[in-house]
Amino acid sequence: MEFDNFETQFIIDLIGAVNHPLSCRPTTQIGLANSNITQFRDFNQNPQIFLGFPPNPDVILRMEIERSMSLLQVMVNEGLVPCGEEEMKRRNAIDKLKKIVVEWVKTVTYQRGLPKKYLKFASGTILTYGSYGLGVYNSESDIDALCVGPYFATIAEDFFIILHNMLASSPEVSEIHCVKDAKVPLMRFKFDGISIDLPYARLKVISIPENVDVFNPFFLKNIDDTSWKSLSGVRANRSILHLVPNIEVFQAVLRCIKLWAKRRGVYANLLGFFGGIHLAVLSAFICQRHPSASLSALILLLFKTFTLWPWPTPVILQDQITRPFTPTHDKVSWMPIQLPCSPYEFCHSNITRSTFYKIRTEFLRGHMLTKDMLSPDFDWNILFEPFPYARKYGLFVKIFLSACDKDELGDWVGWVKSRFRCLLVKLEELLGFCDPNPTEYADTDASEPNVIFYWGLPTGRADLINAELVEEYFLKSIDHGLNQVSTGTMKLSIVKAYQLPKKADQLTALERKNSKTCWRVVDGNRKNTVPQPKYKPHCAESAGDYLPTNENPEFPSAGG
């Protein structure tokens, strides 16, 4: 459809006014599930003529529909919408994992010598969160799953030893690792080829309902700090899904923004950028404030809102009770985003001065592109173009990590990445700015398995940095606690843009698929344990009313 310049600008200005963040009047209401479209509600005054040109809401509505549908098609083309087979595969994996967890709880109950009647009621469950819990996963996504167990199942012995052994002996499980030294300790493994992160939370009850209410004070009373942190992901996900006005629209917005963040190099929490929970809250915030806007309008509003956002004012989803913002005494947060499940907790962030600048620059670019989305030649693919590192920067810090085999490399890379913020802050002190490219590259000609990172540096400042001194500083940070982790080698150097591998400015170049890194924790003080027998019902049935026990249970059953 052809428009002259005056009409095009008029439509853009009109949409900008109607969709202004301060406006409480919705523009359109487009349901993605059934494409249910209602008429505009913003023309109550209905001016007949504006400088000789009558407004035509039907034209605007039609163009918004076309832009929304074309954006959904981009998501399909990028493989971001899972098929039914993928959904069934993940559902089956979760169901099998639940059965193993229930068996594990029965095993621990028997070995603890608890009263026989507890064997009937004692149980655990699996709760999902993250991209899978929010319904925005794809074929390459992992599953964030929380193991919830009863009070007597400890994390040190029962979770990391007994459950670990049960999973390791399962034919569906491979590449299992324990990550004990993280903020949220977990096991990481593949189940039927699907990568799963499995932290643990124990509640002070005997029986855990299959879909336990993680907001019920009965279950949350007096739980330990690790369990509280582990539960926060599930609680945050469920809060978001409860607060957004339309779940399908929210999912579409979040898929788009995650693709944008990954392509533009601002999606990697360990490197100082956004994590999944940050983008989920930002997307939910826009959907909540504009409940009737179309998908294309919501993307426009998201970039406009956070380009102009007065950071460090926190982003807070509103629920039925509006709580005043209470500043914390923790380290300064550049972009505070409140967890929707708690008025006093914020999404963990590693954002630094450099990454804050990069994120804001990308928000501004997104705003400048999408504000003209009603022009006839608008193309969504431009928004999702990969960030051109090789053209943007003349210098790079090259971080070369290697190990003797792939398993050792995964452990080593995960450990080093957990300390990347120290290196980033050091480079900022020396050069004022650093752009840590999250993409993992590999040198296929090297003799050992390896991963390489290239971080962009300001051009013309190579004389201000001594790579050997920076490497020495970073190695000291890595060495802290290194006795617990499998080790590899690390080499840091400064290279120029022409020394980058071919197509290094493309996020797909040499990228390792399904390569979420991890590290094994080797506990040298732990004695070798004899493999524990699996739970067998007939053993308990012949044990009389009570099994041998050295402890008196104090906690009630919550499941039956």
mmCIF file of all heavy atoms in Angstrom, residues 139-160:
data_model
loop_
_atom_site.group_PDB
_atom_site.id
_atom_site.type_symbol
_atom_site.label_atom_id
_atom_site.label_comp_id
_atom_site.label_asym_id
_atom_site.label_seq_id
_atom_site.Cartn_x
_atom_site.Cartn_y
_atom_site.Cartn_z
ATOM 1 N N SER A 139 13.953 -25.756 20.460
ATOM 2 C CA SER A 139 14.572 -27.081 20.398
ATOM 3 C C SER A 139 15.960 -27.119 21.023
ATOM 4 O O SER A 139 16.433 -28.187 21.416
ATOM 5 C CB SER A 139 14.651 -27.552 18.942
ATOM 6 O OG SER A 139 15.421 -26.650 18.161
ATOM 7 N N GLU A 140 16.626 -25.962 21.131
ATOM 8 C CA GLU A 140 17.971 -25.919 21.691
ATOM 9 C C GLU A 140 17.989 -25.482 23.152
ATOM 10 O O GLU A 140 19.054 -25.417 23.761
ATOM 11 C CB GLU A 140 18.848 -24.970 20.864
ATOM 12 C CG GLU A 140 19.054 -25.439 19.429
ATOM 13 C CD GLU A 140 19.893 -24.462 18.630
ATOM 14 O OE1 GLU A 140 20.263 -23.418 19.191
ATOM 15 O OE2 GLU A 140 20.159 -24.743 17.454
ATOM 16 N N SER A 141 16.834 -25.180 23.725
ATOM 17 C CA SER A 141 16.776 -24.701 25.103
ATOM 18 C C SER A 141 16.951 -25.848 26.080
ATOM 19 O O SER A 141 16.550 -26.983 25.817
ATOM 20 C CB SER A 141 15.438 -24.006 25.376
ATOM 21 O OG SER A 141 15.242 -22.910 24.513
ATOM 22 N N ASP A 142 17.556 -25.530 27.220
ATOM 23 C CA ASP A 142 17.613 -26.504 28.296
ATOM 24 C C ASP A 142 16.362 -26.379 29.162
ATOM 25 O O ASP A 142 15.477 -25.566 28.888
ATOM 26 C CB ASP A 142 18.883 -26.322 29.131
ATOM 27 C CG ASP A 142 18.966 -24.931 29.752
ATOM 28 O OD1 ASP A 142 18.001 -24.152 29.590
ATOM 29 O OD2 ASP A 142 19.979 -24.613 30.394
ATOM 30 N N ILE A 143 16.279 -27.185 30.199
ATOM 31 C CA ILE A 143 15.152 -27.132 31.125
ATOM 32 C C ILE A 143 15.682 -26.790 32.512
ATOM 33 O O ILE A 143 16.589 -27.452 33.014
ATOM 34 C CB ILE A 143 14.400 -28.482 31.177
ATOM 35 C CG1 ILE A 143 13.752 -28.801 29.835
ATOM 36 C CG2 ILE A 143 13.330 -28.455 32.270
ATOM 37 C CD1 ILE A 143 13.033 -30.137 29.808
ATOM 38 N N ASP A 144 15.138 -25.743 33.090
ATOM 39 C CA ASP A 144 15.413 -25.424 34.492
ATOM 40 C C ASP A 144 14.352 -26.130 35.323
ATOM 41 O O ASP A 144 13.166 -25.801 35.252
ATOM 42 C CB ASP A 144 15.359 -23.912 34.724
ATOM 43 C CG ASP A 144 16.497 -23.193 34.019
ATOM 44 O OD1 ASP A 144 17.656 -23.553 34.268
ATOM 45 O OD2 ASP A 144 16.225 -22.303 33.208
ATOM 46 N N ALA A 145 14.779 -27.119 36.099
ATOM 47 C CA ALA A 145 13.856 -27.921 36.892
ATOM 48 C C ALA A 145 14.313 -27.920 38.345
ATOM 49 O O ALA A 145 15.503 -28.095 38.630
ATOM 50 C CB ALA A 145 13.788 -29.346 36.351
ATOM 51 N N LEU A 146 13.396 -27.710 39.248
ATOM 52 C CA LEU A 146 13.708 -27.679 40.677
ATOM 53 C C LEU A 146 13.257 -28.979 41.324
ATOM 54 O O LEU A 146 12.097 -29.382 41.201
ATOM 55 C CB LEU A 146 13.014 -26.494 41.348
ATOM 56 C CG LEU A 146 13.133 -26.421 42.878
ATOM 57 C CD1 LEU A 146 14.583 -26.188 43.300
ATOM 58 C CD2 LEU A 146 12.226 -25.320 43.432
ATOM 59 N N CYS A 147 14.173 -29.641 42.016
ATOM 60 C CA CYS A 147 13.834 -30.826 42.802
ATOM 61 C C CYS A 147 13.400 -30.358 44.191
ATOM 62 O O CYS A 147 14.152 -29.669 44.887
ATOM 63 C CB CYS A 147 15.038 -31.759 42.911
ATOM 64 S SG CYS A 147 14.791 -33.180 43.987
ATOM 65 N N VAL A 148 12.188 -30.719 44.608
ATOM 66 C CA VAL A 148 11.659 -30.333 45.914
ATOM 67 C C VAL A 148 11.489 -31.599 46.749
ATOM 68 O O VAL A 148 10.783 -32.529 46.328
ATOM 69 C CB VAL A 148 10.317 -29.590 45.797
ATOM 70 C CG1 VAL A 148 9.880 -29.064 47.156
ATOM 71 C CG2 VAL A 148 10.423 -28.443 44.797
ATOM 72 N N GLY A 149 12.160 -31.644 47.893
ATOM 73 C CA GLY A 149 12.123 -32.828 48.738
ATOM 74 C C GLY A 149 11.708 -32.512 50.167
ATOM 75 O O GLY A 149 11.581 -31.345 50.549
ATOM 76 N N PRO A 150 11.512 -33.536 50.989
ATOM 77 C CA PRO A 150 11.090 -33.358 52.385
ATOM 78 C C PRO A 150 12.247 -32.949 53.285
ATOM 79 O O PRO A 150 13.415 -32.962 52.875
ATOM 80 C CB PRO A 150 10.554 -34.735 52.756
ATOM 81 C CG PRO A 150 11.339 -35.676 51.889
ATOM 82 C CD PRO A 150 11.579 -34.951 50.603
ATOM 83 N N TYR A 151 11.938 -32.621 54.516
ATOM 84 C CA TYR A 151 12.910 -32.040 55.446
ATOM 85 C C TYR A 151 14.096 -32.947 55.724
ATOM 86 O O TYR A 151 15.212 -32.475 55.976
ATOM 87 C CB TYR A 151 12.206 -31.708 56.772
ATOM 88 C CG TYR A 151 11.938 -32.904 57.647
ATOM 89 C CD1 TYR A 151 12.818 -33.271 58.657
ATOM 90 C CD2 TYR A 151 10.813 -33.690 57.437
ATOM 91 C CE1 TYR A 151 12.566 -34.383 59.445
ATOM 92 C CE2 TYR A 151 10.559 -34.796 58.220
ATOM 93 C CZ TYR A 151 11.440 -35.149 59.227
ATOM 94 O OH TYR A 151 11.198 -36.248 60.012
ATOM 95 N N PHE A 152 13.907 -34.269 55.689
ATOM 96 C CA PHE A 152 14.975 -35.179 56.104
ATOM 97 C C PHE A 152 15.951 -35.505 54.980
ATOM 98 O O PHE A 152 16.965 -36.146 55.203
ATOM 99 C CB PHE A 152 14.382 -36.482 56.671
ATOM 100 C CG PHE A 152 13.383 -37.143 55.778
ATOM 101 C CD1 PHE A 152 13.794 -37.958 54.740
ATOM 102 C CD2 PHE A 152 12.022 -36.957 55.975
ATOM 103 C CE1 PHE A 152 12.872 -38.579 53.912
ATOM 104 C CE2 PHE A 152 11.089 -37.573 55.147
ATOM 105 C CZ PHE A 152 11.517 -38.383 54.112
ATOM 106 N N ALA A 153 15.673 -35.088 53.748
ATOM 107 C CA ALA A 153 16.557 -35.348 52.615
ATOM 108 C C ALA A 153 17.536 -34.184 52.467
ATOM 109 O O ALA A 153 17.176 -33.111 51.987
ATOM 110 C CB ALA A 153 15.754 -35.547 51.337
ATOM 111 N N THR A 154 18.774 -34.366 52.890
ATOM 112 C CA THR A 154 19.763 -33.288 52.898
ATOM 113 C C THR A 154 20.352 -33.073 51.512
ATOM 114 O O THR A 154 20.348 -33.979 50.661
ATOM 115 C CB THR A 154 20.897 -33.605 53.876
ATOM 116 O OG1 THR A 154 21.608 -34.764 53.406
ATOM 117 C CG2 THR A 154 20.344 -33.872 55.273
ATOM 118 N N ILE A 155 20.882 -31.883 51.305
ATOM 119 C CA ILE A 155 21.468 -31.574 50.003
ATOM 120 C C ILE A 155 22.855 -32.191 49.857
ATOM 121 O O ILE A 155 23.229 -32.684 48.785
ATOM 122 C CB ILE A 155 21.526 -30.046 49.773
ATOM 123 C CG1 ILE A 155 21.965 -29.741 48.330
ATOM 124 C CG2 ILE A 155 22.442 -29.360 50.778
ATOM 125 C CD1 ILE A 155 21.844 -28.280 47.947
ATOM 126 N N ALA A 156 23.646 -32.205 50.958
ATOM 127 C CA ALA A 156 25.024 -32.673 50.870
ATOM 128 C C ALA A 156 25.108 -34.180 50.634
ATOM 129 O O ALA A 156 25.865 -34.650 49.775
ATOM 130 C CB ALA A 156 25.784 -32.299 52.136
ATOM 131 N N GLU A 157 24.345 -34.948 51.389
ATOM 132 C CA GLU A 157 24.433 -36.403 51.289
ATOM 133 C C GLU A 157 23.364 -36.989 50.369
ATOM 134 O O GLU A 157 23.664 -37.725 49.429
ATOM 135 C CB GLU A 157 24.316 -37.027 52.683
ATOM 136 C CG GLU A 157 25.435 -36.632 53.631
ATOM 137 C CD GLU A 157 25.268 -37.266 55.003
ATOM 138 O OE1 GLU A 157 24.353 -38.106 55.157
ATOM 139 O OE2 GLU A 157 26.036 -36.922 55.910
ATOM 140 N N ASP A 158 22.116 -36.664 50.630
ATOM 141 C CA ASP A 158 21.034 -37.326 49.912
ATOM 142 C C ASP A 158 20.884 -36.821 48.471
ATOM 143 O O ASP A 158 20.657 -37.612 47.556
ATOM 144 C CB ASP A 158 19.714 -37.133 50.669
ATOM 145 C CG ASP A 158 19.784 -37.707 52.073
ATOM 146 O OD1 ASP A 158 20.354 -38.806 52.222
ATOM 147 O OD2 ASP A 158 19.302 -37.063 53.014
ATOM 148 N N PHE A 159 21.006 -35.500 48.266
ATOM 149 C CA PHE A 159 20.837 -34.948 46.920
ATOM 150 C C PHE A 159 22.079 -35.170 46.084
ATOM 151 O O PHE A 159 22.008 -35.756 44.991
ATOM 152 C CB PHE A 159 20.504 -33.463 47.009
ATOM 153 C CG PHE A 159 20.298 -32.793 45.680
ATOM 154 C CD1 PHE A 159 19.136 -33.005 44.945
ATOM 155 C CD2 PHE A 159 21.261 -31.941 45.149
ATOM 156 C CE1 PHE A 159 18.941 -32.390 43.716
ATOM 157 C CE2 PHE A 159 21.082 -31.316 43.930
ATOM 158 C CZ PHE A 159 19.916 -31.541 43.214
ATOM 159 N N PHE A 160 23.241 -34.717 46.572
ATOM 160 C CA PHE A 160 24.462 -34.774 45.770
ATOM 161 C C PHE A 160 25.129 -36.148 45.750
ATOM 162 O O PHE A 160 26.080 -36.348 44.989
ATOM 163 C CB PHE A 160 25.464 -33.727 46.255
ATOM 164 C CG PHE A 160 25.204 -32.347 45.715
ATOM 165 C CD1 PHE A 160 25.017 -31.273 46.574
ATOM 166 C CD2 PHE A 160 25.133 -32.120 44.354
ATOM 167 C CE1 PHE A 160 24.784 -29.996 46.078
ATOM 168 C CE2 PHE A 160 24.895 -30.852 43.855
ATOM 169 C CZ PHE A 160 24.722 -29.790 44.716
#
